[in-house]
Amino acid sequence: MKTLILRTIAPYLSALMMIFSVFVLLRGHNDPGGGFIGGLLAASAFAIYGIASGVASARRAMRFHPMAIAGSGLAMSVLAGLASILFGVPFMTGLWAPPIPGIEFELSSVLFFDIGVYLVVLGAITSVALALEERDDE
Amino acid sequence: METDGNSLTFIALFLPFVAAALAPALTRRMGHKAAWVLAIVPAFLFIHFASLVGTVASGEAVTGSRNWVPSLGVEFSWFLDGLSLTFALLITGIGTFIVLYSGGYLKGHAHLGRFFSFILMFMGAMQGLVISDSFLMFFVFWELTSITSFLLIGFDHSREASRRSAMQALIVTGMGGLALLAGLLVIWNATGATSLSALLETDNALRESALYGLAFVLILGGAFTKSAQFPFHFWLPNAMEAPTPVSAYLHSATMVKAGVYLLMRLNPVMGDTALWETVLPLFGGVTLLVGGFLAVRQSDLKLMLAYTTVASLGLLVMLTGFGSEHAIEAAVLYLIAHSLFKGALFMVAGIIDHEAGSRDVTRLGGLRKAMPITFGAALVAAISMGGLPPLFGFLAKEEIYYALGFASVWSALFTLVAILGNALMFAIGFAVALKPFLGPEVKTPNHAHEGPPLLWLGPVVLAGASLLAALVSPLTHRLFSIPMASAVAGEPLDIYISLIPSIGMPLLLSLVTVALGYAIYRTLGDVRARVGAALIAIGWGPDRGFDQVLRGIVRGAHRLTGLIQNGRMETYMTLTFAVIALAFLVPLVGAGEMPAFPQLPVLTLYEIVVLALAVIGLGAVLYADDRLTAIVSLGIQGFAVALIFLLFGAPDLGFTQFMVETLSVVILALVMTRLKLAKSDHRPTREKALDVTVASLCGLGLMLALFKVTSLTFDPALSVFFTEYSRVIAHGRNIVNVILVDYRGVDTMGEIAVVMAAGLAILALVRVRLGRRVEHAEPQVASESRETVA
C-alpha cells in the first residue's frame, strides 16, 4: 500500500492485535472470548500486516507456512482430546490440573484444545488472505 | 454342544486369513512346495468340521458367539446345522486339494504367493459365509467372497480380458450383494430377527408379512446374481479368465453355490408360497436349458464346463423352489454330487491345458496313454456327471426324477426340462472326459505327459469320493444328506435312495436321458455348429447388454454432471439459495403453520438508530455503483447486526460477528480485485430479477421461521442446565465457550477440521488461477495494493 500512515502504523497495530488475540484466547473460559474469536483477531492482524508491508514480510514474520500452523493446531486439538485416554476416561473429557494457590488461572486439556482452535482459525484464514493478497508478479 | 468345539470354530473362522497373511513369505522361501504346508490349514479345518458331524447328524446344531459391538447388540455368532456343515466340509475338503493343485498348476509363477494368499482369503470368506449366524456377519462374508473372487479372476491383471471379467463379476455380484443387504434389512423389519437361527424360529412370520414380496425380490436379487441365474449368468463363463484352480474352486464347487445356499437356508421361512414355487423353478429351468445349450456351443474345455455349471445351478434353483420333499432331497444330493464331479473335471481340464498346452477339445485326442491317472479321474467324474451308476451323480439324478414325475402338467414340464438339461450335461461331461483322451493321438502344442502328484491328487480324490459316497450311500445319507435336507426343509426328512435301482418311472427317465445324451454326444460337432448359427442369428446377449448398460450409465452420469455442475458460480449460488428458500417456506406453507404477525415491540432510540444503520447498509448495497462499495456496505449491515447482538446481551456473538464481518469484507474485496471483474454489475434486468426473487424469498422464509420460533414458549431447560453446571463441572463461567470446547468439543473438532480443509481447498483454487495467469503473462497492476517489496 502506498499510504505512508498505514505502512508506519501497521507493525504496531498488528503487534497490539496479536497480544490482544492471545488475551482474548486465554480469558475465553470465563469471559467473552475464546479460541475462535482469538484466531479471527490474529488472522486480521496478519492480514493488515500483509496489506501494509507486503505479503513476503508477513510470511517472514509468521516463520511457518500458515497451513502448517493450522495443521499443528488441528493436531493439538485432537491430542488434547486424546489425553483423556491416559487417565482412563472417555475421549475429550476435560482434564484439570490442581489449582496453584494465588494464581487464578487453571491449566487444563480444554485450554490446549482451545489453543488448537485458535491456531487452526489463524492458519487457515491467514493463508487464504495472504494468497489472495499476493500479486501475480511476485 | 461343547464349549471346546465352539472356541475352535471361532479360531477356524480366522485361520484361513492368518494363513493368507503368511502365504507370500512362505512361498518366497519354499516356492511351490509351500502348497504342502498351506494345505494343512484347510485340512485341519476339514477335520475340525468332520468332528462335528456326529453331533449335527443327531439333529443338534452347533452354535456359539462372541460379543462384537455390544453397544449395538451385534454379535459374532455362528450356526452349524446339516446345511452349513455339509457346505463347510465341501469348502475345506475341496479347498485342501485346490491349494495343492494350485501349487502344481502355478509352479514357478512369479506371483504364486499372492495367489495362495487370495485363495486362502476366499476360503475364509466362503467358510464364514456358510457358518455365520448373524445377518451382519453373513453379509460381510458374502461381500468378501465377491471381492476375493474379483481379485482371483483378475489375477492375471496384465490381460485386458481378465480385468474386464473381474470387473464384470464384481459389479454383477456386488449389485446382488446390495440387494441382499436390503433384503436382510427388510426381513429384519418384518420379523425382528437379526440372525439366521432366530429367523428360522419365526415360523410363518415372514411369509405372512406384508413385506414378503419385497424381501423375496431382494433376496432373489442377491441369490440369482451370485449363483449366475439367467439373465445374470454371463459373468460366470467370463470368470473362466481366472487360473483353473480358481474356476474349479470358486466358480463351480463353492462360491457360485452361495446363492443356492441362501435360497436353501431361507426355504423353511420363505418357501412354500405360490411366488416361491413359481419364480424359482421358472428361472432355474430357463437357466438349466440356456446353460446346457450354450455349453454345447463351446469347444474350450473350461467354457464347456462353465456353462454346464450355469445349467447345474439352474437345476439346483429349480429343485429348491419346486416345493416337494423329494425335490429338496434331490437338490441336496445333486449339490454334493456336483461339487465333487465338477471340481474334479475342472482340475482335469486344467491338467490337460497345463500338460498338453491346449484346452480346445477339437485339437486334443489320444492322451489316454500319456496321462492314465488323469484319464481315470476324468472318466469317473464324468460318469457321475452323466448320472450313471455306481457314482453319486446317479443317486442325485434318480432322486430328481422321483421328485418331478408326471403328476401334473406343471411337473411334467419340468421333467422334460430336466431330461433335456441332463442329457446336454451328459454329453458335455463325456465330451470333456473322453474326447481329449480317446481316438488317435493328435499333435499338441506341448509334449503331453502325466502331471506331478500335486496336480492329479485333487481330481483323483474328488472322483474317488464320488464313488465312495455312492457305495456307502446309507452312511452318506445318515451323516450328510439327511441332516442337510432336513435343514433345508425345516423338518426331519429321510432319504433312502441307493445304487440298487428300483424298476419304475425314474429309471425309465434315466434311460431316456442317457439315450438322448448319447445321441447328442455322437453328433456334438454338428449340434455345436447349429447352436452357434442360432446364437449368431440372435446376435445380442446379456454380456453385450452389460457393456451397453455400463456405457449408458457413464454417458448418463456425464450428461447429468454437465447439467448440474456446469462450472458457473451463478448457477450454484442461485440453486443453493433457492433450496434454502424452499427449505424455509415449503414446510411452513405445507403444514399450514404460518406464524401470526407478532406485535411490534416499542423500540428505544438507540435500537432504532442501529436498525436504521442496517437498513442504510442494505440500501447502499442495492444502489452502489461499483462492487467494492457494495461489499463495504454489506459490512455496514453486518456491523449493525453485531451491535444488536451486543445490545441484547450476547457479547460473544457480537464480538465474533464484528471479526467475521471485517474479515469477510477484506477477503471479498481481495477476491474482487483478483477476479478482475468489471467494476459494476451490467447484467440484463431479467437475470437480476431472478436474483432479487430468490433473495427476497430467502429473507421472507427466514423471517417467517423466526416469527414462528419466537412465538413458541421458550424451554429454558438447557439454559438452566448450563448456567448451573458450567462453572461446577467444566470450570468456566463463559457458557458459550464452555459448550464449544467442552460439552460439544467433538463438534468443534469436526468444525476446525472443516475450516482447515476449506482453507486448503481455497488455497489450491487460488494457486490454480495464479498458475494459469502466469502462463498468459498479462501484467495487470491493481493500484490499491501494489507491492513494495524490494
Side-chain angles (χ1 to χ4, degrees):
Chain A
M1 267 239 190
K2 281 175 182 163
T3 55
L4 187 62
I5 299 173
L6 181 62
R7 223 192 300 166
T8 313
I9 204 166
Y12 301 100
L13 190 63
S14 304
L16 208 61
M17 284 171 80
M18 283 306 291
I19 294 170
F20 188 60
S21 77
V22 174
F23 167 71
V24 166
L25 160 71
L26 294 181
R27 82 201 279 261
H29 220 56
N30 289 314
D31 301 290
F36 187 74
I37 182 77
L40 288 177
L41 264 170
S44 341
F46 279 110
I48 289 176
Y49 191 72
I51 290 172
S53 318
V55 176
S57 350
R59 287 200 191 283
R60 263 202 304 281
M62 290 190 87
R63 299 184 66 99
F64 302 104
H65 191 285
M67 263 304 157
I69 294 179
S72 55
L74 187 58
M76 188 166 180
S77 289
V78 174
L79 287 177
L82 282 175
S84 59
I85 288 174
L86 297 178
F87 296 84
V89 284
F91 180 59
M92 296 264 338
T93 309
L95 303 166
W96 296 84
I100 306 158
I103 300 175
E104 205 193 311
F105 193 76
E106 287 178 276
L107 201 61
S108 68
S109 67
V110 174
L111 176 69
F112 285 100
F113 183 82
D114 218 8
I115 295 175
V117 174
Y118 172 90
L119 292 176
V120 170
V121 174
L122 158 68
I125 294 182
T126 309
S127 74
V128 171
L130 289 185
L132 287 170
E133 282 171 27
E134 236 152 7
R135 296 291 98 198
D136 299 348
D137 46 356
E138 271 185 76
Chain B
M1 281 178 235
E2 314 146 39
T3 43
D4 193 21
N6 280 350
S7 64
L8 260 181
T9 307
F10 183 65
I11 294 168
L13 275 164
F14 293 99
L15 208 54
F17 297 104
V18 176
L22 299 177
L26 198 66
T27 312
R28 217 169 300 136
R29 273 163 188 267
M30 300 179 59
H32 75 284
K33 289 200 175 65
W36 293 107
V37 181
L38 291 169
I40 294 172
V41 171
F44 167 77
L45 297 175
F46 181 81
I47 293 168
H48 166 63
F49 288 123
S51 73
L52 300 175
V53 164
T55 319
V56 172
S58 68
E60 247 184 288
V62 178
T63 61
S65 67
R66 292 280 190 286
N67 274 336
W68 191 0
V69 190
S71 51
L72 296 178
V74 176
E75 279 202 327
F76 197 84
S77 54
W78 53 93
F79 174 69
L80 279 153
D81 62 354
L83 176 59
S84 26
L85 187 63
T86 308
F87 260 98
L89 285 168
L90 286 172
I91 291 160
T92 51
I94 298 178
T96 308
F97 294 102
I98 290 291
V99 169
L100 294 177
Y101 182 81
S102 307
Y105 190 81
L106 289 173
K107 179 180 168 185
H109 193 287
H111 298 301
L112 180 60
R114 184 188 298 169
F115 185 82
F116 278 135
S117 189
F118 288 168
I119 207 133
L120 286 164
M121 265 193 272
F122 165 76
M123 188 184 300
M126 190 65 210
Q127 172 197 256
L129 189 159
V130 295
I131 65 177
S132 333
D133 190 12
S134 79
F135 284 171
L136 188 61
M137 227 173 112
F138 177 77
F139 174 73
V140 167
F141 281 123
W142 179 286
E143 290 295 60
L144 259 183
T145 60
S146 292
I147 293 166
T148 44
S149 154
F150 165 78
L151 292 172
L152 285 165
I153 299 172
F155 179 67
D156 194 2
H157 54 76
S158 55
R159 280 188 312 122
E160 208 212 324
S162 278
R163 296 197 298 270
R164 173 179 182 264
S165 302
M167 286 300 292
Q168 190 181 52
L170 184 67
I171 290 171
V172 173
T173 56
M175 299 271 280
L178 290 180
L180 171 75
L181 177 64
L184 290 173
L185 290 174
V186 169
I187 291 179
W188 170 56
N189 243 313
T191 63
T194 56
S195 68
L196 294 167
S197 58
L199 178 65
L200 291 177
E201 279 161 21
T202 57
D203 208 20
N204 271 331
L206 185 54
R207 266 186 291 261
E208 283 160 9
S209 155
L211 294 171
Y212 176 79
L214 184 60
F216 177 79
V217 170
L218 290 169
I219 291 292
L220 250 52
F224 279 11
T225 47
K226 198 78 161 181
S227 281
Q229 296 298 296
F230 183 84
F232 305 111
H233 64 278
F234 53 88
W235 72 265
L236 181 55
N238 286 342
M240 296 300 130
E241 291 296 337
T244 306
V246 177
S247 311
Y249 192 38
L250 275 70
H251 305 122
S252 74
T254 59
M255 186 187 90
V256 290
K257 295 214 172 71
V260 176
Y261 168 79
L262 177 65
L263 295 176
M264 286 182 160
R265 177 52 87 206
L266 295 177
N267 182 52
V269 288
M270 287 189 95
D272 204 19
T273 62
L275 198 59
W276 183 272
E277 291 182 0
T278 313
V279 174
L280 260 58
L282 278 181
F283 273 89
V286 170
T287 309
L288 171 59
L289 291 183
V290 167
F293 277 112
L294 290 176
V296 172
R297 149 121 171 86
Q298 303 299 329
S299 62
D300 179 316
L301 289 177
K302 269 180 84 176
L303 283 176
M304 290 161 80
L305 290 172
Y307 278 107
T308 57
T309 305
V310 171
S312 302
L313 292 168
L315 181 59
L316 284 170
V317 168
M318 182 177 117
L319 291 169
T320 307
F322 199 71
S324 71
E325 289 177 7
H326 277 295
I328 285 170
E329 292 167 12
V332 163
L333 293 176
Y334 188 74
L335 190 143
I336 298 172
H338 179 258
S339 295
L340 296 176
F341 70 67
K342 195 54 75 61
L345 282 176
F346 259 114
M347 289 197 250
V348 165
I351 298 175
I352 295 172
D353 186 17
H354 198 259
E355 301 301 330
S358 173
R359 292 197 311 242
D360 190 333
V361 76
T362 56
R363 292 171 54 201
L364 292 165
L367 292 171
R368 67 186 175 285
K369 280 203 195 101
M371 309 165 81
I373 306 176
T374 311
F375 177 49
L379 195 60
V380 174
I383 294 173
S384 187
M385 182 167 171
L388 297 177
L391 274 295
F392 203 68
F394 172 71
L395 305 186
K397 199 163 49 128
E398 290 297 285
E399 191 71 35
I400 292 171
Y401 291 136
Y402 262 122
L404 298 173
F406 285 97
S408 64
V409 181
W410 178 253
S411 60
L413 173 71
F414 287 107
T415 305
L416 292 178
V417 168
I419 290 176
L420 189 53
N422 276 330
L424 286 167
M425 287 199 274
F426 175 95
I428 299 297
F430 281 104
V432 170
L434 296 182
K435 294 230 154 150
F437 296 102
L438 299 183
E441 271 184 52
V442 175
K443 194 165 161 42
T444 51
N446 292 350
H447 179 67
H449 52 82
E450 190 61 81
L454 270 178
L455 283 179
W456 53 252
L457 203 57
V460 166
V461 171
L462 293 188
S466 293
L467 183 63
L468 189 69
L471 291 178
V472 296
S473 61
L475 185 67
T476 317
H477 292 331
R478 194 163 63 77
L479 292 181
F480 307 108
S481 325
I482 293 176
M484 181 166 165
S486 305
V488 177
E491 59 194 0
L493 293 183
D494 236 340
I495 301 177
Y496 301 108
I497 193 99
S498 73
L499 284 178
I500 305 148
S502 50
I503 310 298
M505 185 62 95
L507 191 64
L508 187 66
L509 292 177
S510 278
L511 290 176
V512 173
T513 309
V514 170
L516 187 59
Y518 182 69
I520 298 174
Y521 173 76
R522 287 307 298 262
T523 55
L524 198 58
D526 202 26
V527 179
R528 178 180 302 138
R530 258 185 235 168
V531 174
L535 282 179
I536 289 168
I538 297 173
W540 190 89
D543 192 29
R544 266 185 66 198
F546 174 83
D547 284 345
Q548 281 162 341
V549 168
L550 272 198
R551 262 203 301 278
I553 290 172
V554 171
R555 217 174 292 155
H558 193 77
R559 218 169 283 168
L560 189 67
T561 314
L563 196 69
I564 58 175
Q565 302 241 328
N566 59 4
R568 287 178 63 84
M569 183 77 167
E570 286 153 77
T571 317
Y572 299 156
M573 296 293 265
T574 313
L575 269 178
T576 309
F577 282 104
V579 169
I580 291 175
L582 288 177
F584 277 126
L585 291 171
V586 169
L588 281 174
V589 177
E593 298 222 348
M594 289 301 256
F597 196 78
Q599 208 186 348
L600 287 176
V602 183
L603 297 174
T604 58
L605 180 64
Y606 56 84
E607 284 164 351
I608 294 173
V609 170
V610 173
L611 280 178
L613 204 60
V615 173
I616 291 169
L618 275 185
V621 173
L622 292 178
Y623 287 101
D625 272 338
D626 64 302
R627 294 172 197 269
L628 216 52
T629 317
I631 291 169
V632 175
S633 312
L634 198 62
I636 296 176
Q637 181 268 347
F639 269 56
V641 172
L643 277 174
I644 293 175
F645 288 153
L646 279 181
L647 292 178
F648 286 88
D652 266 291
L653 217 50
F655 202 165
T656 313
Q657 175 81 5
F658 275 123
M659 289 317 304
V660 169
E661 282 302 330
T662 313
L663 277 169
S664 38
V665 167
V666 169
I667 288 180
L668 265 178
L670 286 170
V671 170
M672 281 302 156
T673 59
R674 273 202 94 93
L675 287 180
K676 303 202 166 72
L677 296 169
K679 277 207 160 166
S680 48
D681 188 2
H682 289 303
R683 290 178 304 153
T685 320
R686 197 170 47 81
E687 283 182 30
K688 284 187 186 171
L690 177 70
D691 291 359
V692 169
T693 318
V694 171
S696 314
L697 284 176
C698 261
L700 182 71
L702 184 60
M703 181 184 83
L704 291 175
L706 279 178
F707 281 171
K708 187 74 198 168
V709 168
T710 47
S711 71
L712 303 172
T713 36
F714 179 65
D715 177 4
L718 282 176
S719 315
V720 170
F721 171 83
F722 284 122
T723 322
E724 197 167 322
Y725 290 105
S726 160
R727 178 72 210 162
V728 191
I729 60 178
H731 302 243
R733 280 189 305 271
N734 178 1
I735 296 172
V736 177
N737 203 54
V738 166
I739 292 175
L740 279 178
V741 298
D742 204 333
Y743 287 112
R744 314 286 314 184
V746 180
D747 290 3
T748 307
M749 187 177 287
E751 281 153 18
I752 57 176
V754 170
V755 167
M756 170 140 178
L760 275 174
I762 297 171
L763 198 58
L765 287 175
V766 173
R767 294 265 182 246
V768 166
R769 286 208 60 89
L770 190 71
R772 200 177 297 162
R773 200 107 41 93
V774 168
E775 258 172 50
H776 292 216
E778 270 179 64
Q780 283 207 9
V781 181
S783 59
E784 78 268 40
S785 50
R786 176 86 184 106
E787 246 309 313
T788 52
V789 170

